[in-house]
Amino acid sequence: MVYLYSVLCCLFLFPYLGWRAGQVLGPRLRRVFWGLLVLIFVLFSIALLIHRRFEADWMSAVMNGSVYIFFSTMYATAVVVGVNVLRYIDARTLKLYASARPAVKQGVKVVAFIAALAVFFTTMVIGHRNVRYPRVIYQKYTVKRLVPEGAQPEKRMRLVFFSDLHIGEAMTPDYIARAVKLIQDQQPDLILCGGDFIDHRAVYAYDPRVMASLRSLHAPMGVYYVLGNHEYRDDLEANIRWVSEVGGTLLRDSIAFPGNGPLTLIGRDDWVNGNRKPFDVIANEADPMRGPVVLMEHTPASIDSIGDSPVDLILCGHTHGGQIWPGQLMVWWRYGMASGTRPVGEREVCISSGIGSAGATYRVGTRSEIRVYDLYW
């Protein structure tokens, strides 16, 4: 849907920007600018209508480009609107702009136009890099309830947690291969995927190149997945089958003991499944005396319950860290944080911003990531 939104919004944003730019540019440049806007809109409208017929890398690039232009146009439009709001305020207060010479007024318009262009291209570059070059966040977490007071931890386990890969038109096979390599480079004991590994259509996940990359994910204690809300948007059965075909283990309101070791891993189904088990029922099935208890859930819906459970660490995704500023504010309002970690008593909640992105490889105000947890007890 984000592709449809991008075309529809540009239908309104482009005329506004063309009108404002026309106040700055000369007749020839004005025609060129309008022609460029019309050309982009027509090309992306055609791409929107036919993109489902061409599951090819070049079409992915076109669709990515349309969303890049859409979001960066929104930021550029914000600059233009902001300048005109300041003019409106000035006209009713200080009247500095209103009393300025025509040459000064034209200079202000030129500066605003240049600033809008600079914001457009800068956000496009930033939006691309924030997805394409994920960061690795290393964290140490000691399960204090398993360590006698005054003693030092005797055991260590490395978990690599990634979420929100969103395999689809935007997340190309090349990017997925690099993401897999980044995960493997951390030498994990256990790999965990926190859902939304599919974006919208399972067909992209079944691309032989994507399958080969995900099959190369391996760890001594295994690779485990949970479902996210996006897996429910298309062919759920195909998405479930895909996990086993790439060598992973899917947990749906169930418990596993990776590698038959001391770790108890709880995998909860996503909240969009109205029939999933209640959190307390699943958590109470865990044996906290066996070793660390880790809960993996795509949407951070169980945060408020972790303090009353035997869970030591909860790993979530879903938020993308807000993905597009000021989305961070809305996510913070909903979950209390956009991404990161916070303690809940002696336990810890982690919300990852995810290694991919939804709709397009574009982020502003956040960055793709994987989380590397070294557990000690």
Side-chain angles (χ1 to χ4, degrees):
M1 292 298 292
V2 69
Y3 301 116
L4 176 61
Y5 297 152
S6 66
V7 171
L8 291 177
C9 286
C10 286
L11 178 63
F12 298 98
L13 295 180
F14 281 6
Y16 175 74
L17 291 176
W19 169 52
R20 287 301 184 186
Q23 299 175 341
V24 177
L25 303 174
R28 179 176 296 180
L29 287 178
R30 188 183 309 140
R31 289 193 295 270
V32 171
F33 190 76
W34 269 104
L36 182 62
L37 293 179
V38 171
L39 178 63
I40 291 172
F41 180 78
V42 170
L43 289 178
F44 286 155
S45 297
I46 294 173
L48 177 66
L49 295 174
I50 67 173
H51 76 283
R52 289 293 176 91
R53 299 179 182 272
F54 298 94
E55 292 155 8
D57 292 351
W58 64 268
M59 181 54 78
S60 294
V62 171
M63 300 311 293
N64 252 333
S66 69
V67 181
Y68 274 42
I69 289 176
F70 161 55
F71 283 122
S72 290
T73 297
M74 289 187 66
Y75 286 121
T77 303
V79 171
V80 177
V81 171
V83 169
N84 283 283
V85 168
L86 291 176
R87 285 175 53 190
Y88 178 83
I89 294 172
D90 175 73
R92 282 154 180 76
T93 54
L94 301 177
K95 302 186 185 301
L96 297 177
Y97 181 82
S99 61
R101 299 191 311 272
V104 174
K105 291 182 178 180
Q106 185 65 15
V108 171
K109 293 178 181 178
V110 170
V111 169
F113 179 74
I114 293 173
L117 284 180
V119 167
F120 177 83
F121 289 109
T122 300
T123 54
M124 190 172 288
V125 172
I126 291 174
H128 173 80
R129 289 186 59 84
N130 280 348
V131 175
R132 292 292 179 175
Y133 298 93
R135 59 182 178 175
V136 181
I137 299 179
Y138 297 94
Q139 295 174 268
K140 295 181 179 180
Y141 181 65
T142 300
V143 184
K144 294 181 180 179
R145 66 177 182 82
L146 297 176
V147 180
E149 187 175 352
Q152 293 296 317
E154 298 179 352
K155 299 178 181 179
R156 170 189 173 276
M157 179 185 299
R158 169 163 286 194
L159 316 179
V160 173
F161 175 65
F162 73 99
S163 183
D164 299 277
L165 184 55
H166 286 279
I167 301 169
E169 290 162 323
M171 306 309 296
T172 61
D174 173 67
Y175 176 80
I176 293 167
R178 290 193 294 112
V180 167
K181 183 179 184 303
L182 184 65
I183 294 168
Q184 288 296 154
D185 285 347
Q186 310 313 312
Q187 299 181 334
D189 297 310
L190 176 65
I191 298 174
L192 304 176
C193 174
D196 274 9
F197 43 88
I198 307 292
D199 192 28
H200 287 285
R201 302 179 65 205
V203 63
Y204 289 98
Y206 281 92
D207 183 309
R209 295 169 295 175
V210 173
M211 298 281 284
S213 292
L214 271 299
R215 282 172 179 153
S216 68
L217 271 183
H218 63 274
M221 299 175 67
V223 182
Y224 289 81
Y225 293 74
V226 293
L227 297 176
N229 56 302
H230 275 249
E231 277 75 53
Y232 281 90
R233 292 188 176 185
D234 185 32
D235 189 339
L236 177 61
E237 293 306 316
N239 295 335
I240 291 173
R241 186 173 63 252
W242 179 86
V243 173
S244 62
E245 292 193 13
V246 297
T249 300
L250 180 65
L251 299 180
R252 300 183 70 187
D253 292 340
S254 54
I255 292 178
F257 304 99
N260 292 320
L263 179 74
T264 299
L265 177 63
I266 304 172
R268 198 175 187 203
D269 207 344
D270 193 61
W271 71 273
V272 297
N273 179 4
N275 295 320
R276 68 177 184 168
K277 289 182 181 180
F279 172 77
D280 56 349
V281 171
I282 307 170
N284 288 336
E285 294 175 359
D287 179 6
M289 301 312 297
R290 179 187 179 104
V293 180
V294 176
L295 168 66
M296 183 167 57
E297 177 179 4
H298 177 66
T299 305
S302 301
I303 289 179
D304 295 335
S305 304
I306 186 176
D308 299 323
S309 74
V311 173
D312 298 302
L313 173 66
I314 179 171
L315 302 172
C316 304
H318 182 64
T319 67
H320 298 202
Q323 187 163 334
I324 309 293
W325 189 89
Q328 290 81 354
L329 300 178
M330 293 181 286
V331 175
W332 176 85
W333 177 81
R334 174 66 180 85
Y335 297 111
M337 60 179 177
S339 63
T341 61
R342 80 177 188 205
V344 179
E346 293 188 351
R347 299 167 174 86
E348 182 161 293
V349 172
C350 170
I351 300 179
S352 172
S353 67
I355 196 171
S357 60
T361 54
Y362 190 102
R363 287 175 178 257
V364 173
T366 184
R367 189 173 170 186
S368 295
E369 67 180 31
I370 63 172
R371 297 261 170 175
V372 179
Y373 259 97
D374 286 323
L375 295 186
Y376 293 89
W377 71 98

